[in-house]
C-alpha cells in the first residue's frame, strides 16, 4: 500500500563525489510504498502540486508547518555507554579505566543488557536516529540484546562483539568457554563468526567486526579479525584510531613495525570499504591517503573529542586528500544522543580549522554529514544495488523525521526569521534537540 505525507521537505541531491547539496520544498509531497521485496521505500518526492497529480488515489497525511527530513545516521555510538555520558576524566585512557570499563562489565548479565538495549534504541529513535553503527561489549549476550531490540523496532542497526583480549580488566576480556581447548582469542573469533551467521543481513541488521582499538588486541586477534573481514566482505568493520596522544604512543609502542597507528589496521587486513574508524584526529597525509585508497571512512565525533579534550578533526586535511567521513555521537564519550548537538559540535570543530585553514562548515554540509554522507560512508547509499538510507531520493528506505520548527518558544521565534535555507538549518542546528523531533517514522516491511 502507498502512503503520502505532505509537509515541507528536506533532502539531498544525488552525490557527485563531494558533499550533497540540500534540496528543500516548502509545500512538498513524499510518497512511500513497497519495493519488489516489500520494503517501504520512497516512490516520489517533490512539490505537492506536481507529485499529488501523479498519485491521485493515495491517502495523504498532512503535517502543516512541519519539515520532513531523512532519519539521521549515527556512524559511531556505544550501546553500553549510555550511563557513562558526562563522566569527566583527564583524557581517554583514565576515562576508559575509571568509568567505561566498570560500566561495560555489567553487560555480562543478559537482563541488564536487554533493559539497556530497550532504553538505547528508544533514545536513538526519540532523537531521530534511524540507522546506527554501534559498539556492544565483549559479551555475546550484549550483541544479542541489541540486535533483538533493534529488530523488534525495525531499526537499521549494525553492531558486533567487542574484541579485546588484553590490556583491560580480566573480567571484561573476551573469554574462553569452560572446559574448552579453544583459547579466549580464538573463541572471540568463533563467537564473531557465529553472530555473523545469526544476525548479518537479517531484516535491517548488519554485523560489524569490532576490535575495540589496537592496544587491547593481540596480534593474533587482529590477524583473525582481518581474516574474518576477508571472508565476509559485506560485513562492516569498526574500531577507534588516533583519538588521543597517549593512546597513539601506546599503540605505536605495541605495534612498532607498522608505519603509523592507522597503518597497524591496514597491516592486519582491517582497512577496506565498510570499515569505519572513529576519531581519526591525529593523522598525517600518508594516513589520509591510506583512508582514501582503502575506502575506509572516519566517524567524526565532535562532542566526544571536545569533552575528552582529544583534539579537533581536520576537515581541511580530509577534503584535501579526499577520504570519506560522517558524523557520530560517540556516546558515552560523546555528550548527547541528539544529532543537533553533534552537528553543532562539528561546527565548532570546523571553526577551529577556520582559524588556520579558511574552512567553515555550512549547515547543509553538517546536515549531510549526519544523513546522506554518513550513509555513503557505510556503503548504504544505494550504489551497486545496496540499500540506501540517510536520504529521501526515490528508492531510499522510508526512514524519516517530522521536525517541528516551532517546538520551543526560541525556535519558533528564530526559525520564523529565516530568509534562506541555510538560515533555517542553522537555527535548528544551534537551537535544536530532541524537542525538535516530533515524530520518527521507520520504513516498514509489508
Ligand atoms: N578507544 C577505545 N575504546 C574507546 C571508547 O569506548 N570510547 C572512545 N571514545 N574511545 C575509545
Ligand atoms: Zn567510541
Amino acid at each position: 500500500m502507498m502512503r503520502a505525507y505532505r509537509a515541507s521537505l528536506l533532502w539531498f541531491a544525488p552525490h557527485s563525489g563531494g558533499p550533497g547539496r540540500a534540496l528543500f520544498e516548502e509545500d512538498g509531497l513524499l510518497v512511500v510504498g513497497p519495493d519488489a521485496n516489500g520494503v517501504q521505500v520512497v516512490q516520489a518526492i517533490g512539490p505537492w502540486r506536481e507529485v499529488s497529480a501523479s498519485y491521485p488515489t493515495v491517502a495523504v497525511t498532512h503535517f502543516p508547518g512541519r519539515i520532513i527530513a531523512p532519519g539521521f545516521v549515527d556512524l559511531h555510538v556505544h550501546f553500553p555507554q549510555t550511563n557513562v555520558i558526562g563522566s569527566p576524566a583527564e583524557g581517554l585512557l583514565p576515562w576508559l579505566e575509571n568509568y567505561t570499563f566498570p560500566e561495560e562489565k555489567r553487560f555480562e548479565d543478559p537482563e541488564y543488557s536487554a533493559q539497556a538495549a530497550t532504553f538505547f534504541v528508544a533514545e536513538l529513535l526519540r532523537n531521530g536516529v534511524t540507522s546506527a553503527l554501534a559498539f556492544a561489549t565483549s559479551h555475546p549476550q550484549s550483541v544479542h540484546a541489541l540486535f533483538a531490540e533493534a529488530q523488534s523496532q525495525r531499526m537499521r542497526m549494525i553492531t558486533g562483539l567487542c574484541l579485546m583480549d588484553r590490556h583491560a580488566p580480566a573480567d571484561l576480556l573476551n573469554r574462553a568457554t569452560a572446559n574448552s581447548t579453544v583459547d579466549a582469542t580464538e573463541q572471540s573469533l568463533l563467537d564473531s563468526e557465529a553472530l555473523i551467521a545469526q544476525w548479518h543481513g537479517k531484516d535491517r541488521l548488519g554485523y560489524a567486526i569490532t576490535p575495540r582499538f589496537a592496544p587491547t588486541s593481540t596480534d593474533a586477534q587482529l590477524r583473525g579479525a582481518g581474516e574474518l573481514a576477508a571472508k565476509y566482505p559485506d560485513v562492516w568493520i569498526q574500531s577507534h584510531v588516533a583519538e588521543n596522544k597517549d593512546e597513539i604512543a601506546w599503540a605505536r609502542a605495541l605495534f612498532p613495525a607498522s608505519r603509523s597507528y592507522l597503518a597497524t589496521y591496514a597491516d592486519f587486513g582491517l582497512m577496506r570499504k565498510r570499515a569505519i574508524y572513529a576519531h581519526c584526529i591525529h593523522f598525517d597525509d600518508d594516513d589520509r591517503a591510506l583512508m582514501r585508497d582503502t575506502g575506509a571512512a572516519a566517524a567524526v565525533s565532535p562532542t566526544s573529542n571536545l569533552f575528552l579534550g582529544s583534539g579537533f578533526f581536520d576537515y581541511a586535511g580530509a577534503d584535501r586528500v579526499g577520504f570519506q567521513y560522517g558524523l557520530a555521537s560517540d556516546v558515552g564519550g560523546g555528550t548527547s544522543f541528539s544529532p543537533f548537538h553533534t552537528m553543532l559540535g562539528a561546527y565548532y570543530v570546523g571553526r577551529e580549522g577556520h582559524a588556520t585553514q579558511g574552512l567553515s562548515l555550512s549547515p547543509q554540509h553538517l546536515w549531510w554529514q549526519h544523513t546522506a554522507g554518513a550513509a555513503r560512508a557505510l556503503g548504504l547509499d544505494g550504489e551497486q544495488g545496496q540499500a540506501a538510507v540517510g536520504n529521501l531520493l526515490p528508492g531510499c528506505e522510508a526512514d524519516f523525521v517530522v521536525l517541528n520548527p516551532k517546538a520551543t518558544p526560541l525556535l519558533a521565534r528564530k526559525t520564523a526569521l529565516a530568509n534562506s535555507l541555510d538560515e533555517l538549518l542553522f537555527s535548528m542546528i544551534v537551537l535544536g534537540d530532541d524537542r525538535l523531533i516530533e515524530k520518527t517514522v521507520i520504513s516498514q516491511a509489508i
Side-chain angles (χ1 to χ4, degrees):
M1 198 189 61
M2 300 264 207
R3 283 169 232 192
Y5 303 90
R6 182 178 177 184
S8 297
L9 300 175
L10 171 69
W11 74 110
F12 291 90
H15 73 78
S16 49
R21 187 170 45 90
L23 303 171
F24 190 77
E25 192 56 58
E26 184 72 40
D27 185 9
L29 192 70
L30 176 72
V31 182
V32 308
D35 68 4
N37 302 316
V39 176
Q40 286 280 356
V41 298
V42 175
Q43 301 287 346
I45 185 166
W48 171 75
R49 219 165 260 295
E50 281 172 30
V51 179
S52 58
S54 306
Y55 295 86
T57 59
V58 175
V60 176
T61 306
H62 194 185
F63 296 111
R66 307 297 192 265
I67 303 165
I68 286 179
F72 291 99
V73 179
D74 192 335
L75 261 193
H76 177 78
V77 57
H78 294 256
F79 146 58
Q81 293 181 12
T82 303
N83 291 356
V84 181
I85 293 179
S87 303
E90 236 175 86
L92 171 67
L93 300 178
W95 174 83
L96 281 174
E97 190 171 323
N98 296 327
Y99 293 104
T100 307
F101 290 157
E103 174 63 16
E104 291 194 11
K105 284 180 196 173
R106 302 174 77 181
F107 287 71
E108 182 175 7
D109 175 1
E111 276 174 34
Y112 191 81
S113 285
Q115 60 78 24
T118 303
F119 184 90
F120 176 76
V121 168
E123 192 64 14
L124 288 173
L125 294 173
R126 232 170 51 70
N127 278 284
V129 176
T130 50
S131 300
L133 173 60
F135 263 63
T137 68
S138 47
H139 316 96
Q141 48 273 41
S142 76
V143 183
H144 288 299
L146 183 53
F147 273 137
E149 179 61 20
Q151 185 178 39
S152 77
Q153 301 299 325
R154 280 201 53 74
M155 188 181 174
R156 197 168 258 292
M157 178 66 73
I158 306 166
T159 189
L161 181 73
C162 185
L163 299 175
M164 189 158 54
D165 66 351
R166 64 168 168 172
H167 297 152
D171 45 359
L172 197 55
L173 297 177
N174 302 120
R175 279 191 223 167
T177 311
N179 304 321
S180 165
T181 54
V182 174
D183 70 14
T185 300
E186 188 56 29
Q187 189 62 47
S188 70
L189 300 165
L190 292 171
D191 288 345
S192 299
E193 195 161 16
L195 287 162
I196 292 171
Q198 183 170 351
W199 293 106
H200 182 67
K202 189 165 271 186
D203 294 340
R204 307 186 76 203
L205 308 175
Y207 193 82
I209 298 164
T210 306
R212 180 172 209 122
F213 62 158
T216 47
S217 285
T218 58
D219 285 45
Q221 193 172 46
L222 292 179
R223 196 173 308 111
E227 285 164 8
L228 270 184
K231 185 169 173 187
Y232 297 98
D234 69 333
V235 155
W236 282 268
I237 298 167
Q238 60 177 342
S239 194
H240 297 90
V241 75
E243 174 178 8
N244 166 287
K245 296 270 169 66
D246 294 337
E247 169 217 16
I248 294 170
W250 192 22
R252 298 297 299 122
L254 290 167
F255 300 97
S258 294
R259 191 203 70 83
S260 67
Y261 179 9
L262 180 71
T264 308
Y265 294 114
D267 293 344
F268 285 105
L270 289 165
M271 291 190 71
R272 58 156 167 74
K273 284 191 175 164
R274 296 197 165 202
I276 307 287
Y277 285 90
H279 311 300
C280 302
I281 296 172
H282 308 284
F283 271 1
D284 60 19
D285 271 356
D286 286 346
D287 291 324
R288 296 186 182 100
L290 187 56
M291 293 290 289
R292 179 197 60 208
D293 296 344
T294 55
V300 180
S301 307
T303 72
S304 170
N305 300 156
L306 296 169
F307 184 74
L308 290 173
S310 304
F312 299 81
F313 180 76
D314 183 347
Y315 278 102
D319 290 343
R320 186 184 64 246
V321 177
F323 69 85
Q324 291 188 40
Y325 54 80
L327 282 177
S329 68
D330 191 31
V331 160
T335 50
S336 174
F337 281 94
S338 174
F340 300 104
H341 289 178
T342 302
M343 291 188 285
L344 180 58
Y347 182 68
Y348 294 148
V349 167
R351 293 297 298 186
E352 168 71 13
H354 185 65
T356 52
Q357 299 149 346
L359 180 86
S360 188
L361 299 173
S362 73
Q364 297 188 22
H365 188 201
L366 292 164
W367 209 293
W368 176 85
Q369 286 180 57
H370 224 337
T371 52
R376 187 175 143 208
L378 284 171
L380 288 175
D381 58 351
E383 294 271 301
Q384 293 153 6
Q386 315 116 335
V389 296
N391 206 347
L392 296 174
L393 291 167
C396 288
E397 295 180 355
D399 292 334
F400 61 87
V401 290
V402 180
L403 306 174
N404 177 6
K406 296 186 170 27
T408 70
L410 182 55
L411 268 167
R413 189 178 170 94
K414 180 68 189 165
T415 55
L417 296 172
N419 285 314
S420 66
L421 177 58
D422 278 352
E423 289 183 10
L424 176 65
L425 298 183
F426 249 142
S427 300
M428 293 192 282
I429 289 170
V430 173
L431 299 174
D433 57 27
D434 52 336
R435 292 169 293 181
L436 194 47
I437 308 286
E438 189 166 272
K439 199 175 168 62
T440 302
V441 178
I442 285 274
S443 169
Q444 298 293 319
I446 300 296

